[in-house]
Amino acid sequence: SSELTQPPSVSVSPGQTARITCSGDALPRQYTYWYQQKPGQAPVLVIYKDTERPSGIPERFSGSSSGTTATLTISGVPPEDEADYYCQSTDSSGAVVFGGGTKLTVL
Amino acid sequence: QVQLQESGPGLLKASETLSLTCSVSGGSVDRPNYYWSWVRQPPGKGLEWIGYVYYTGSTNYNPSLKSRVTMSMDTSKNQFSLKLTSVTAADTATYYCARSMSVVVNFESWGQGSLVTVSS
């Protein structure tokens, strides 16, 4: 299956570490990508190829992947990181698949 | 830095054909290794990939939409386009165009999005 499963919501206090997971049977064979989307805005790529961070993305964003689960970690979360986060991968035919999204709340 | 801008009608009636164009500046659509995609997002819901077109004209569509989707390029205008036939209210969404610099498609550049509403 090429489906990706994310928790609907994650809550943290400012300054804590947030971890958002993405599970899928194909993840051992395919890279995971992560996007941040704030209300009314287009998504922004924050992690590519499981662990790489695009230029301009703060170092507090990191990614990892093990087996069928990929994880986006945000260290020392500031209030402005409150957003929806989506994981994305591809299947064997090259088709793109998105996870359902996780709403990160910074209380 | 590449910029993408969607354009097209914002309101359609059920059974009509949705047509959107993405205008690209700061980069050429006919360069190798760039994959030009459409992604949509229904109000309050998640992202759904529609498909991509490559500079050669080859395409790859979401299997769930494949029967209704056509994507093409107009290199003379540096644009690419989306057509989605027989729309219903379920096709109401913000439609984004986006670029990937890898055959393993991921999106490092996005347009601002264009809301398309389908009325029944």
Side-chain angles (χ1 to χ4, degrees):
Chain A
S1 170
S2 58
E3 293 183 354
L4 299 175
T5 301
Q6 298 181 237
S9 63
V10 168
S11 298
V12 296
S13 298
Q16 289 189 329
T17 296
R19 294 180 179 85
I20 299 172
T21 58
C22 174
S23 298
D25 290 342
L27 294 188
R29 301 178 296 281
Q30 304 289 348
Y31 286 123
T32 304
Y33 305 82
W34 290 94
Y35 301 87
Q36 176 194 67
Q37 187 182 33
K38 295 182 179 180
Q41 298 182 18
V44 173
L45 181 68
V46 295
I47 294 290
Y48 66 99
K49 289 186 178 181
D50 292 345
T51 62
E52 302 297 316
R53 194 174 53 250
S55 61
I57 299 301
E59 292 183 6
R60 63 180 180 270
F61 289 90
S62 64
S64 63
S65 186
S66 178
T68 59
T69 301
T71 303
L72 172 68
T73 301
I74 312 172
S75 303
V77 179
E80 60 262 32
D81 286 352
E82 185 165 287
D84 294 326
Y85 291 84
Y86 294 91
C87 62
Q88 178 242 307
S89 190
T90 56
D91 68 16
S92 56
S93 72
V96 173
V97 181
F98 286 102
T102 298
K103 180 176 180 59
L104 176 64
T105 301
V106 184
L107 301 170
Chain B
Q1 181 176 349
V2 69
Q3 293 188 325
L4 297 86
Q5 177 67 58
E6 305 87 352
S7 61
L11 182 62
L12 293 173
K13 296 181 180 178
S15 79
E16 292 184 333
T17 295
L18 178 157
S19 294
L20 292 173
T21 296
C22 184
S23 299
V24 178
S25 58
S28 296
V29 298
D30 61 353
R31 287 189 62 183
N33 301 320
Y34 290 157
Y35 296 78
W36 304 93
S37 276
W38 291 94
V39 176
R40 70 180 183 177
Q41 185 171 38
K45 297 187 177 180
L47 301 169
E48 180 180 33
W49 175 71
I50 301 171
Y52 69 67
V53 58
Y54 190 48
Y55 84 106
T56 58
S58 65
T59 55
N60 190 357
Y61 299 144
N62 186 324
S64 68
L65 297 169
K66 187 174 184 177
S67 64
R68 298 193 291 132
V69 171
T70 302
M71 294 183 185
S72 60
M73 302 189 104
D74 185 338
T75 56
S76 66
K77 296 181 179 179
N78 214 35
Q79 297 174 337
F80 62 104
S81 64
L82 166 70
K83 291 189 185 300
L84 181 67
T85 61
S86 305
V87 297
T88 69
D91 295 309
T92 294
T94 295
Y95 286 75
Y96 295 97
C97 57
R99 186 185 78 171
S100 172
M101 293 194 292
S102 169
V103 65
V104 180
V105 173
N106 65 98
F107 310 108
E108 92 289 345
S109 298
W110 296 72
Q112 66 184 25
S114 177
L115 176 62
V116 177
T117 302
V118 179
S119 66
S120 54

